[in-house]
Amino acid sequence: MQKHCLTLDLKNDPDLIHEYIKFHQDVWPEIKESIKDAGIVSLEIYNIADRLFMIIEADADFSFEKKSKLDAANPKVQEWETLMWKFQQALPGAKPGEKWILMDKIFELK
């Protein structure tokens, strides 16, 4: 099992943040299906103020490249991503068009 942690900022607008959270209380079924089809077993998103944190647990065959290709070929995912960009903003230092940024693990208690 793979684990990946990513982060992204929301636009600093309480109304937009509230609306974004509401969308994630009823994620479109096609989006959930696309996540599972990519090999993701568990996906959680946490929020504080305008910061988001995502934890992905995926099977051994998962790759971000494969997921990106599947997403690019899925019109419903593209519609969702376009809608979500209304609420999201790139982190400082992100490349053009880059949204969720993979975080580096710096500590693990064993």
Side-chain angles (χ1 to χ4, degrees):
M1 188 73 64
Q2 303 178 49
K3 184 185 283 187
H4 304 282
C5 299
L6 301 98
T7 190
L8 175 68
D9 282 347
L10 295 172
K11 293 179 180 170
N12 193 8
D13 176 317
D15 292 334
L16 287 177
I17 292 170
H18 178 74
E19 190 176 351
Y20 183 85
I21 291 169
K22 283 183 70 175
F23 267 107
H24 284 79
Q25 292 170 348
D26 190 24
V27 173
W28 301 347
E30 300 90 347
I31 302 309
K32 291 179 182 179
E33 183 179 332
S34 75
I35 291 167
K36 292 175 184 176
D37 288 348
I40 295 173
V41 177
S42 173
L43 188 151
E44 301 173 334
I45 299 175
Y46 295 85
N47 163 250
I48 186 164
D50 61 349
R51 178 71 35 103
L52 298 173
F53 177 70
M54 181 191 306
I55 302 171
I56 293 174
E57 292 184 354
D59 63 29
D61 295 329
F62 172 81
S63 76
F64 286 103
E65 295 79 17
K66 179 176 112 178
K67 174 141 180 43
S68 182
K69 287 179 184 175
L70 290 171
D71 289 351
N74 185 325
K76 203 66 174 175
V77 170
Q78 293 305 306
E79 181 182 351
W80 176 266
E81 289 300 326
T82 299
L83 176 60
M84 292 302 104
W85 195 239
K86 167 185 171 185
F87 309 101
Q88 300 166 336
Q89 64 181 2
L91 288 172
K95 299 172 189 156
E98 191 172 39
K99 293 173 84 171
W100 288 95
I101 305 290
L102 191 59
M103 300 175 79
D104 296 321
K105 179 167 48 170
I106 62 167
F107 175 78
E108 180 177 353
L109 179 66
K110 290 189 176 195

